[in-house]
Amino acid sequence: MLRIAAVMLSAFFFLSSNGLSSAIAAPSYVGPEKCQNCHKAPYEVWKGTKHFSSYKKIHKHKTAKKILKAVGEKRMKKAAVCATCHYTVVEKKGKPKPVAGTSCESCHGPASEWISIHNNKKVDKATRVKQSVEAGMVRPDNLYDIASNCMSCHGLENSKLSGKHASAMLANGHPLNPNFEMVEYSQGSVRHRFYPPDVTTNKKMTKPELARLYVIGQAAALVSANRAISKTDDSKFVTAQKVRIDKAKTVLAKIPDAAKFLSNPSREGGQALADAIKTKDLSSLVGDQLPTSYK
């Protein structure tokens, strides 16, 4: 879904236990409609994803009512525990309102503090980029924080999700895929890589790029799982987090640059690892583990 600098989808809302009735704290979401005027092609890609369609569908899922009851809620779009990962919530007439499913800011950070900077074409690009990042934007080249945002929800690790709720959700049918992996899930329907000089083509990653993303994703998964595993002693939850930890350690053990990170996994260490490998071709080390099809 953000611990921002970065956590994907942690909504930065102080939400009451009864739903979305409490005040929104800055930084906050502005909604995907604010992005579409300039980023038309990525916006159209997003409209073809489950992240987009889930807004109208997920609350109708056969297990939704059962899960809601288990966490003491009645409606997904009014439930804080669900909004954390499933919705983009903006302020409408002084009240928080879900306006979309998982969207732009879920990965790139709540935009209230950085969107005006990002849009200010009177300032040179380098300055805009620097200032936007300082204001909380997670840019596409910040692969570690992007991956961290994804892991926070797909690993049920989000800081807004209590262990009690996580356990109740799992017991009532909520999925937790311990094999969620960045390359497989980011290079399929959600891929939106429209970069100069040809901004009309949704570019595919090269094998070295995929290998780097695979490694960075495993680093983010390890930090996420280490943080999540202490939420609850629920056996299903703990087992899933251990699978994530073991997988990540096995992969990262093959990467010489990851030795320091493995000794003390952290967000800062993950960012340092991503920076250390940003020009390296790791495909000889992990190429045989890269997915051959994407979600």
Side-chain angles (χ1 to χ4, degrees), residues 65-107:
K65 288 184 179 180
K66 187 177 179 182
I67 294 169
L68 282 167
K69 184 177 180 180
V71 297
E73 298 285 358
K74 293 181 179 180
R75 296 181 61 190
M76 277 193 71
K77 290 182 180 179
K78 290 186 176 294
V81 66
C82 302
T84 300
C85 285
H86 288 291
Y87 299 118
T88 298
V89 182
V90 305
E91 187 174 6
K92 294 279 190 177
K93 296 181 179 179
K95 296 181 179 181
K97 177 179 176 61
V99 297
T102 305
S103 63
C104 317
E105 296 165 274
S106 301
C107 290

Side-chain angles (χ1 to χ4, degrees), residues 57-288:
K57 294 181 178 180
I58 196 165
H59 58 285
K60 300 176 183 178
H61 193 278
K62 61 183 179 181
T63 60
K65 288 184 179 180
K66 187 177 179 182
I67 294 169
L68 282 167
K69 184 177 180 180
V71 297
E73 298 285 358
K74 293 181 179 180
R75 296 181 61 190
M76 277 193 71
K77 290 182 180 179
K78 290 186 176 294
V81 66
C82 302
T84 300
C85 285
H86 288 291
Y87 299 118
T88 298
V89 182
V90 305
E91 187 174 6
K92 294 279 190 177
K93 296 181 179 179
K95 296 181 179 181
K97 177 179 176 61
V99 297
T102 305
S103 63
C104 317
E105 296 165 274
S106 301
C107 290
H108 297 293
S112 62
E113 300 297 312
W114 57 257
I115 192 166
S116 61
I117 300 170
H118 178 63
N119 290 340
N120 186 6
K121 300 300 173 62
K122 295 180 180 180
V123 178
D124 65 275
K125 184 176 180 179
T127 300
R128 282 191 291 124
V129 167
K130 180 177 183 295
Q131 292 178 345
S132 295
V133 170
E134 290 172 348
M137 182 184 189
V138 182
R139 287 182 53 79
D141 57 357
N142 186 347
L143 295 179
Y144 180 83
D145 280 355
I146 293 287
S148 180
N149 286 344
C150 297
M151 296 296 171
S152 72
C153 284
H154 284 282
L156 292 188
E157 170 263 314
N158 194 288
S159 60
K160 298 292 184 181
L161 177 65
S162 70
K164 179 181 178 180
H165 281 159
S167 179
M169 288 159 58
L170 287 176
N172 287 277
H174 194 286
L176 170 55
N177 176 13
N179 297 308
F180 176 86
E181 186 275 312
M182 278 301 296
V183 172
E184 183 178 20
Y185 282 84
S186 70
Q187 299 306 301
S189 64
V190 304
R191 175 170 55 86
H192 50 283
R193 305 183 73 246
F194 299 91
Y195 302 134
D198 179 9
V199 296
T200 64
T201 301
N202 192 359
K203 299 174 181 63
K204 294 182 178 180
M205 280 187 163
T206 64
K207 192 167 184 179
E209 287 174 329
L210 292 171
R212 288 193 290 271
L213 179 57
Y214 182 79
V215 170
I216 292 168
Q218 292 300 330
L222 180 57
V223 173
S224 170
N226 279 341
R227 189 159 40 220
I229 201 166
S230 61
K231 274 184 184 287
T232 174
D233 59 3
D234 179 271
S235 60
K236 189 173 182 179
F237 185 84
V238 171
T239 297
Q241 302 304 336
K242 286 182 176 178
V243 169
R244 300 175 74 208
I245 289 170
D246 291 345
K247 173 67 174 180
K249 286 183 174 180
T250 299
V251 171
L252 295 169
K254 299 179 180 181
I255 312 301
D257 289 295
K260 184 176 180 180
F261 171 78
L262 280 170
S263 68
N264 184 27
S266 67
R267 174 176 176 258
E268 294 72 21
Q271 290 176 320
L273 172 60
D275 188 59
I277 66 173
K278 65 182 178 182
T279 61
K280 296 185 178 181
D281 184 354
L282 306 177
S283 54
S284 64
L285 301 175
V286 298
D288 61 339

